[in-house]
Amino acid sequence: MVEHRMVDTNGIRLHIAEEGEGPLVVLLHGFPESWHSWHHQFGPLVEAGFRVVAPDQRGYGRSDHPDDVDAYSILHLVGDVVGLIRALGEDKAYVVGHDWGAPVAWNTALLRPDMVLGVAGLSVPPPFRGAQPPLAAMEKRFGGRFYWNYFNRPGVADAELARDTRTALRKIFYSISGDAPDTGEQPLVAPEQGWLATMTDPDVLPEWFTEEDLDALTESFSKGFTGALNWYRNLDRNWELTAPWHDAVVTPPALYIYGDRDPVPAFPGAPELIARLPDLMPNLRRAPLELAGCGHWTQQERPAEVNAALIEFLTAGSWARPAG
């Protein structure tokens, strides 16, 4: 059974879900999600011989929500993972992330390779630092209409999403899934309308996303969305903070999985990066795994395929399990 508790790490308290014994696997959710987005992974990974831990990351769910926007930088987020691994009594772990959890996983492997046995990212490819700050680059490219820039406006998206949390989440999860019509468009926002204006509110939820899932997700945002949105408000600051790692590569064994209907791998520059990953990543264990017909919610839309790929990756060879 999955058990829940609070853990002190990096000066804050994180709520975690955990189950199993064996090498530690840390599962990191994205936006707007919670530990529950990994509920399909617990059973198979535990059965495969792993100790599985999924936190609500800072600003989410029952974990602490610091007030300061600057408290959500990538260094804070990596620090939370490093501290969590230590607090769980381990020196090393496998780190797996989806959406925003993927940059946290990739950067944990980049900044602390000594603590990462292997790293897997879903949806968001590895963090090769661009030539310009990302918010500034998207502001210039899309005239301020890219959703990152909309999220960067203090209080605006916070209020829109909190107005009717359940409806907002239902629209978001359906509209960027593989079940929604494929518009092929970048996620641009008309400022006077808001992010949700062009999203569809489905009459029936997709088979992979139940009313119970929506209940759990809605409850996890009872404290609002500001902590989660503060991650986006640090995008340019993260670019500044990671300058020492410009052109650095992730060296631990790595896996990348994405859906061909996910808008994130189609962001400007992402398709070219994904095509080059086998050359750029020295320990990428297989070519990027593209899931046909899968949208953004990779491990929820395609749990069987994701679980099979993760288990194959985590148990692939002598590198996967340390001696003793």
Side-chain angles (χ1 to χ4, degrees):
M1 294 288 292
V2 177
E3 298 182 348
H4 298 263
R5 62 186 173 103
M6 302 299 291
V7 173
D8 293 316
T9 169
N10 195 26
I12 64 168
R13 301 190 81 212
L14 294 183
H15 161 250
I16 68 166
E18 64 179 330
E19 185 181 6
E21 297 180 356
L24 177 62
V25 179
V26 177
L27 304 175
L28 302 171
H29 66 79
F31 175 88
E33 298 180 275
S34 71
W35 79 268
H36 184 77
S37 67
W38 297 103
H39 68 285
H40 292 300
Q41 281 63 56
F42 271 82
L45 292 181
V46 168
E47 192 172 322
F50 295 94
R51 178 188 183 189
V52 182
V53 171
D56 285 335
Q57 298 204 74
R58 70 164 61 203
Y60 285 86
R62 286 183 264 168
S63 294
D64 283 352
H65 295 228
D67 292 330
D68 190 351
V69 174
D70 290 348
Y72 295 86
S73 78
I74 195 65
L75 297 187
H76 288 87
L77 302 173
V78 170
D80 292 349
V81 177
V82 169
L84 178 61
I85 293 170
R86 299 289 194 203
L88 294 170
E90 301 291 345
D91 296 322
K92 300 175 184 291
Y94 303 99
V95 186
V96 181
H98 167 256
D99 182 75
W100 252 112
V104 179
W106 295 125
N107 276 283
T108 302
L110 181 68
L111 306 184
R112 290 304 305 268
D114 58 309
M115 295 185 68
V116 176
L117 294 166
V119 57
L122 282 57
S123 177
V124 180
F128 289 91
R129 186 174 176 273
Q132 303 176 66
L135 285 172
M138 290 304 192
E139 179 83 29
K140 181 178 179 181
R141 186 179 185 116
F142 296 110
R145 297 182 62 212
F146 198 69
Y147 79 106
W148 294 354
N149 302 105
Y150 177 70
F151 285 179
N152 193 45
R153 297 170 187 167
V156 177
D158 319 48
E160 181 191 7
L161 297 177
R163 196 168 296 124
D164 181 345
T165 298
R166 188 181 182 86
T167 298
L169 292 169
R170 186 171 57 241
K171 284 185 171 185
I172 294 166
F173 269 72
Y174 173 75
S175 296
I176 53 178
S177 75
D179 294 82
D182 185 7
T183 65
E185 298 176 356
Q186 294 291 340
L188 304 183
V189 178
E192 67 280 3
Q193 295 179 358
W195 192 45
L196 303 174
T198 60
M199 293 187 179
T200 300
D201 191 358
D203 294 327
V204 179
L205 291 175
E207 185 176 334
W208 54 269
F209 190 61
T210 67
E211 292 289 346
E212 290 73 22
D213 294 331
L214 184 56
D215 288 341
L217 195 61
T218 302
E219 172 62 25
S220 74
F221 283 97
S222 61
K223 297 180 182 178
F225 289 83
T226 298
L229 290 166
N230 283 341
W231 291 42
Y232 291 90
R233 294 162 183 160
N234 277 277
L235 281 166
D236 281 3
R237 185 162 177 254
N238 293 343
W239 184 84
E240 295 173 359
L241 291 171
T242 55
W245 293 273
H246 192 79
D247 289 335
V249 297
V250 172
T251 55
L255 172 70
Y256 175 56
I257 306 172
Y258 68 104
D260 69 353
R261 296 281 312 282
D262 184 347
V264 174
F267 285 178
E272 295 80 6
L273 171 61
I274 293 168
R276 296 179 58 213
L277 282 182
D279 296 324
L280 293 172
M281 296 278 286
N283 278 309
L284 195 69
R285 292 293 160 160
R286 60 179 294 172
L289 175 58
E290 181 183 68
L291 301 178
C294 180
H296 181 62
W297 315 105
T298 327
Q299 76 273 21
Q300 297 180 78
E301 293 186 52
R302 295 298 174 81
E305 291 161 277
V306 169
N307 293 344
L310 286 176
I311 290 168
E312 179 185 28
F313 172 69
L314 296 170
T315 60
S318 59
W319 62 270
R321 292 177 181 267

